[in-house]
Amino acid sequence: MSPHAPAPASSRGRRMIAAATGALLVAGLAVLAPTAADAAEPSSLLARYDFSETSGTVLHDTSTRGNNATVVGGEAWRDGYMQFGGSNYVQLPNGLLSGRSAATVVIETSPEALSGAKFLWNFGGSSTSNSGQGQFFIQPVAPRVAITKTNWSGEQSVTSTTKLVEGQWQSVAATIEKNAGEATSTLRLFIDGTQVAVKTDSTVHLSDLLTHTVNYIGKSAYTADSLYQGKVSTFRVYEEALSGAALTDIAAADAQAAATETIDALDLAAANTQSLDAVETRLTLPTAGGVSWTSSAPGVLAADGTVTPPAADTTVTLTAVATVRGVQSAPRTFTVTVLKDPAAIDKAQRDLDAITIADADDVRSNITLPATGSRHGSTVSWQSSDPTVIDVVGTATTAPGIVHRPDHDTEVVLTATATIDGVAASREIALTVRRAYEMPATTDYLFTHFTGTEGAASDEQIYFATSRDAKTFTDTRPAGSPVLSTARDAGEGEGGVRDPFLVRSPEGDRFYLIATDLSIYYRGGWGNAHATEDGSTELVIWESTDLVNWSEPRLADVASSIPNAGMAWAPEAIWDEETGQYVVYWATRADGNTEFGDSVDVYLSATRDFQTFSTPVKWIDREHSIIDTTVIKVGDWYYRASGDGEITIERSKNLTATTASALPATSGTEQDWVLVGTLQSILKGSGTCSAGTNYTGACLEGPEFFRYNDDDRAGAQELYGLLADQYATGRGYVPFRTTDIDSTSNTVWSKATDIDLGSVKKRHGGIIPITAAEYQRVMFHYAGVGTDPDLDLTTAVSTRCVAGKVVLAVSVTNADARPAAVTISTPYGDKTVKSLQPGATSTQAVSTRQTSTDAVSVTVRSTATDASSDDSVTVAARTCG
């Protein structure tokens, strides 16, 4: 058969209506009536696709009409259905419904990711936000069936109160036909053969659609909409409006096929990272599509995948059955081997092997030392080869893992001992602790933000702007050219990042940029987003030591353990000196998990490395939703400003004190969060959002505190900025100033009118003070302005024996275009090179005067006009003679 020839009717005999007519359930099993071959489809059938292909891009029409379709964006055949993954769709033949006055479209589908703007299918022409050529479609999120002569503004539609269910096979059908007199048409929507919505007075007819070149399964007529995600087993098109009885029969027939296909496509090995021949921990047993499981040895491997390690390796037979609308597939069995309960020593060793310490070769701050094994729950204790550098004991308020950086790079070996059932095992972990960093004074500013227009994917990404005085900001990139971004097709979340916040480590030489994982653009706009209900519970995190070289973005799930969590928005972090860790806080909607009114509250968690987070705690619970908050420390006091219907300012000496009250507390101890005032009350705001004189939460959100540098305070002892996002009018940030956050006087607080934030709109982000070198670096790498403040020099250190003594050979190569003065520092003496020319290498010998040496750290400091570099190399121990 040629790849473009019409395919014969399915040999599996599963696509005719009569296949399920009269299907009975006897003793819980499906007993089918006469097979599909016993009856024919209605003569009005135009196309029928059963997705039985196993390769290629041709989707064959199994009717007699020859209306083959084409898979675009990657075929994903799955033993009788296709997986629509958000990047592929089906192009149906042109003109399939052209000239018709009535039609029925039936699809058997198991939806996934029911959010945003997307079509289940479309017939007609293309559309934009301003114009269109007419479409007939189903939007599955609502769900609704609609038809329009033009675009969205002319839609005639009807929405069902019955929703589609993710991960469950459903028959979804739509019919349209002209009423008597032909002045109006009737639209009907069916789910599983039952009518769920009807519109009897549509003023748009199927015959009104004049363009029929945008016929799709899984793709919208709007190019900005996302593609459908889910499984599709069958797709039928008729040139008449079938009756409810006929649609019930089709739904029953397709249920049997979907159940069979689901069970045939099960891939238990692919669903698990551990080998099915060596099962040790909980097994993932897929249940999507109506799959249920039984086990031959439930005490060893339960039907939910729970493993109870046996005394000896045990073979277990798992049996899977798929049930779709009461119709069962034939059972399918899988054989797995559950390994015996490991010996205590093996459990301890496995817990040790699972331990990882973030940035082990570049330790700059406190580290996380687990006290419990992650695999078998052994007790883990720690020893340090140098407790003065890494303290593994901790204090009453600070957990073990406290780092005191020395004056040179130092290797510290930690010994972890895991004990379980009275048996212990140990493992050594070598860490490199960087020499102490002397933080220069900050003189400039870096503003991280997103643009928020949501008209393109690039709007919801990370942008940088800089300033020398916090008055005039320079955009380092134009709109549409972010400095950091995520891509949804690369496993980086939703493909959009909002609300970025940049935090500097307490030592000063590491940065973490955290942001909301959310794309309103890909979700089809706020009206379709459902972003607080089924949004990401993960944060997007980058880290850097110099503000220009960033790690790949990673996702950290901070909120999924919160019951009914619907999102994690507007994250921020602040260093808690008392506990030696960062406190991270964000907003989560969690229906049923709130005490006062709205379900959007602020939660917090603690971390040292932005990889391991403590269990989230509800931090602020208000009568109104509280979508974001910002914190700054002034002396012993913490101040926070929150978007909770106002821009509410509170203070406390206890950062993590929880608050649950309808309104902010107006009195309390120093350990409580107590109201200072609201921006509206302090500045005596009034009027409308558009006038710019209303400072309530109805107009503003996303408050952000920052501290002015010493040289920008205009003589004031202290000066603080507060930004607020004018979301209601779409204007971006508006700045405020105060010399005293604790004040409620409008002579101390003011709206700053002398600030130019630049041409790129600035939405919810933050400002941090930076050093002159950091400013120079950011401007050079991102804006192409000025010179690179970092010299390109490399260092190599080796040892050799001379007269029985260890000698260090330090080679420095200048790969920069500028000559540099070089200072080499070792524990055994220093060397200098006054001018190392571009392209040159200088090797300096330093005698230790010792016959053996431990590991040695060598530092190299190079300087040129307006540029420098620091390098550190550790050379292994050496013995001579």
Side-chain angles (χ1 to χ4, degrees):
M1 180 187 300
S2 74
H4 298 291
S10 173
S11 61
R12 288 176 289 173
R14 69 170 179 82
R15 292 307 184 201
M16 299 304 178
I17 295 174
T21 303
L24 302 175
L25 288 177
V26 179
L29 298 177
V31 179
L32 296 182
T35 65
D38 296 330
E41 288 271 16
S43 60
S44 59
L45 181 68
L46 293 175
R48 179 182 60 218
Y49 309 99
D50 68 7
F51 293 86
S52 59
E53 288 79 2
T54 58
S55 63
T57 60
V58 177
L59 177 61
H60 294 96
D61 175 15
T62 60
S63 76
T64 61
R65 301 294 188 109
N67 285 313
N68 290 351
T70 303
V71 180
V72 180
E75 66 273 14
W77 308 109
R78 298 287 189 272
D79 290 318
Y81 67 82
M82 174 167 281
Q83 181 69 50
F84 288 72
S87 60
N88 58 337
Y89 63 94
V90 170
Q91 173 77 62
L92 296 167
N94 293 342
L96 197 57
L97 289 178
S98 180
R100 270 76 178 186
S101 60
T104 298
V105 181
V106 189
I107 185 171
E108 180 75 22
T109 184
S110 176
E112 300 166 9
L114 283 174
S115 64
K118 58 187 65 172
F119 286 11
L120 186 54
W121 47 259
N122 181 79
F123 287 93
S126 62
S127 189
T128 69
S129 59
N130 299 317
S131 64
Q133 300 172 27
Q135 305 89 39
F136 175 43
F137 63 91
I138 282 182
Q139 206 276 3
V141 176
R144 66 187 179 95
V145 59
I147 188 167
T148 175
K149 295 179 184 179
T150 54
N151 65 347
W152 60 270
S153 62
E155 285 177 4
Q156 297 285 292
S157 69
V158 61
T159 300
S160 168
T161 57
T162 301
K163 304 297 183 183
L164 297 181
V165 180
E166 292 186 8
Q168 178 176 307
W169 285 107
Q170 290 135 104
S171 177
V172 184
T175 68
I176 185 171
E177 63 181 334
K178 287 185 177 180
N179 297 323
E182 300 191 349
T184 58
S185 284
T186 293
L187 290 167
R188 299 181 190 273
L189 181 62
F190 297 80
I191 297 177
D192 295 339
T194 299
Q195 181 175 296
V196 293
V198 60
K199 181 177 179 61
T200 60
D201 59 351
S202 170
T203 57
V204 180
H205 310 294
L206 185 61
S207 57
D208 289 331
L209 274 59
L210 302 181
T211 303
H212 285 263
T213 57
V214 182
N215 299 338
Y216 302 129
I217 305 173
K219 180 176 170 61
S220 168
Y222 294 83
T223 56
D225 287 358
S226 56
L227 298 179
Y228 180 68
Q229 292 172 267
K231 302 173 177 64
V232 175
S233 169
T234 315
F235 190 83
R236 292 183 173 90
V237 183
Y238 303 85
E239 58 180 336
E240 68 171 319
L242 294 179
S243 67
L247 293 173
T248 299
D249 288 343
I250 291 174
D254 286 348
Q256 177 66 61
T260 299
E261 292 159 358
T262 298
I263 212 70
D264 289 346
L266 271 182
D267 189 341
L268 189 59
N272 291 274
T273 55
Q274 59 183 322
S275 169
L276 299 184
D277 294 326
V279 175
E280 295 182 280
T281 58
R282 185 184 185 93
L283 203 63
T284 298
L285 301 181
T287 58
V291 176
S292 59
W293 296 84
T294 57
S295 169
S296 65
V300 175
L301 178 55
D304 65 355
T306 300
V307 170
T308 302
D313 293 356
T314 302
T315 299
V316 180
T317 299
L318 293 171
T319 302
V321 173
T323 304
V324 178
R325 299 191 288 279
V327 179
Q328 285 187 351
S329 68
R332 183 179 175 195
T333 60
F334 299 84
T335 300
V336 303
T337 300
V338 180
L339 300 184
K340 66 182 180 181
D341 192 17
I345 188 65
D346 294 327
K347 291 180 181 179
Q349 190 60 53
R350 291 171 187 178
D351 277 344
L352 291 174
D353 293 342
I355 294 174
T356 59
I357 296 177
D359 301 308
D361 61 348
D362 188 21
V363 175
R364 301 178 185 231
S365 192
N366 294 347
I367 58 177
T368 300
L369 299 179
T372 303
S374 61
R375 295 188 63 183
H376 296 285
S378 58
T379 300
V380 181
S381 60
W382 295 86
Q383 288 184 317
S384 172
S385 66
D386 192 342
T388 64
V389 178
I390 300 181
D391 170 22
V392 297
V393 177
T395 69
T397 59
T398 309
I402 304 169
V403 173
H404 304 281
R405 289 168 62 173
D407 58 5
H408 59 276
D409 287 4
T410 300
E411 181 178 280
V412 178
V413 177
L414 298 185
T415 301
T417 300
T419 304
I420 188 169
D421 298 334
V423 177
S426 296
R427 173 193 169 196
E428 290 187 347
I429 303 174
L431 306 178
T432 300
V433 181
R434 295 302 181 192
R435 68 184 186 277
Y437 175 71
E438 186 176 345
M439 177 71 191
T442 57
T443 56
D444 306 302
Y445 305 87
L446 178 62
F447 196 156
T448 58
H449 64 95
F450 79 109
T451 70
T453 55
E454 297 144 3
S458 60
D459 294 340
E460 296 170 283
Q461 306 294 352
I462 308 299
Y463 291 80
F464 285 176
T466 61
S467 178
R468 308 308 299 260
D469 56 8
K471 290 184 178 180
T472 302
F473 284 83
T474 300
D475 296 310
T476 63
R477 295 278 184 85
S481 180
V483 298
L484 294 171
S485 60
T486 60
R488 65 174 180 163
D489 58 356
E492 297 172 352
E494 292 203 2
V497 280
R498 303 165 64 97
D499 320 321
F501 184 82
L502 184 61
V503 59
R504 185 194 293 268
S505 69
E507 296 79 12
D509 58 346
R510 194 185 293 279
F511 301 88
Y512 296 97
L513 197 157
I514 59 180
T516 301
D517 174 28
L518 174 65
S519 174
I520 297 301
Y521 170 76
Y522 284 128
R523 283 176 172 258
W526 283 107
N528 298 302
H530 302 281
T532 66
E533 302 164 19
D534 60 8
S536 172
T537 57
E538 298 176 307
L539 306 182
V540 182
I541 300 173
W542 289 268
E543 59 181 277
S544 173
T545 58
D546 59 10
L547 294 174
V548 297
N549 293 291
W550 293 90
S551 66
E552 292 298 314
R554 64 175 181 264
L555 296 171
D557 190 345
V558 296
S560 66
S561 63
I562 301 169
N564 303 318
M567 86 286 196
W569 282 7
E572 291 196 14
I574 187 171
W575 179 257
D576 182 1
E577 187 174 350
E578 184 177 7
T579 60
Q581 59 192 350
Y582 299 93
V583 173
V584 184
Y585 43 93
W586 67 89
T588 284
R589 173 178 175 174
D591 293 345
N593 196 47
T594 189
E595 296 179 48
F596 295 93
D598 194 278
S599 298
V600 180
D601 300 318
V602 176
Y603 291 77
L604 62 76
S605 177
T607 185
R608 284 180 168 173
D609 51 23
F610 288 87
Q611 296 190 36
T612 302
F613 294 82
S614 65
T615 302
V617 173
K618 186 165 57 177
W619 188 35
I620 312 174
D621 189 347
R622 288 275 196 271
E623 179 180 56
H624 300 290
S625 68
I626 177 164
I627 58 172
D628 38 41
T629 194
T630 183
V631 178
I632 191 171
K633 190 176 185 184
V634 180
D636 294 333
W637 290 93
Y638 292 96
Y639 291 87
R640 73 184 181 195
S642 306
D644 61 355
E646 297 282 348
I647 302 298
T648 299
I649 301 170
E650 303 163 277
R651 72 171 192 166
S652 176
K653 287 189 175 180
N654 183 0
L655 171 64
T656 59
T658 59
T659 59
S661 58
L663 298 172
T666 56
S667 62
T669 71
E670 292 181 345
Q671 298 300 305
D672 300 319
W673 284 100
V674 177
L675 178 68
V676 174
T678 68
L679 205 56
Q680 179 82 337
S681 66
I682 293 171
L683 294 177
K684 305 188 186 312
S686 63
T688 64
C689 298
S690 59
T693 55
N694 186 316
Y695 310 122
T696 68
C699 303
L700 305 178
E701 66 177 16
E704 293 291 338
F705 276 127
F706 71 94
R707 178 182 274 105
Y708 279 77
N709 293 316
D710 291 347
D711 59 344
D712 297 320
R713 293 175 182 164
Q717 183 175 358
E718 290 289 347
L719 187 61
Y720 305 95
L722 176 64
L723 301 168
D725 187 351
Q726 303 170 94
Y727 75 97
T729 57
R731 296 173 181 166
Y733 266 129
V734 58
F736 303 87
R737 285 197 195 101
T738 182
T739 56
D740 181 6
I741 300 177
D742 209 36
S743 173
T744 58
S745 170
N746 64 357
T747 62
V748 176
W749 281 86
S750 64
K751 185 176 181 179
T753 59
D754 59 344
I755 292 181
D756 178 0
L757 292 177
S759 59
V760 177
K761 182 189 290 186
K762 290 165 179 61
R763 294 289 311 277
H764 198 149
I767 294 175
I768 68 164
I770 58 175
T771 67
E774 290 166 346
Y775 171 87
Q776 185 181 351
R777 184 178 300 120
V778 168
M779 291 300 290
F780 175 79
H781 286 279
Y782 291 126
V785 174
T787 58
D788 190 346
D790 302 307
L791 290 171
D792 185 7
L793 276 75
T794 58
T795 303
V797 182
S798 61
T799 57
R800 60 177 181 261
C801 296
V802 177
K805 308 294 183 182
V806 178
V807 174
L808 306 178
V810 184
S811 296
V812 182
T813 300
N814 186 358
D816 205 279
R818 297 163 287 188
V822 178
T823 300
I824 300 169
S825 299
T826 80
Y828 308 102
D830 300 340
K831 295 282 187 174
T832 60
V833 180
K834 291 184 178 180
S835 182
L836 184 61
Q837 296 299 308
T841 297
S842 175
T843 300
Q844 302 293 319
V846 180
S847 176
T848 68
R849 301 180 180 85
Q850 298 183 23
T851 57
S852 64
T853 58
D854 293 330
V856 174
S857 177
V858 176
T859 60
V860 176
R861 171 76 175 175
S862 305
T863 58
T865 303
D866 294 329
S868 64
S869 71
D870 289 284
D871 199 4
S872 180
V873 177
T874 299
V875 64
R878 180 70 185 268
T879 298
C880 295

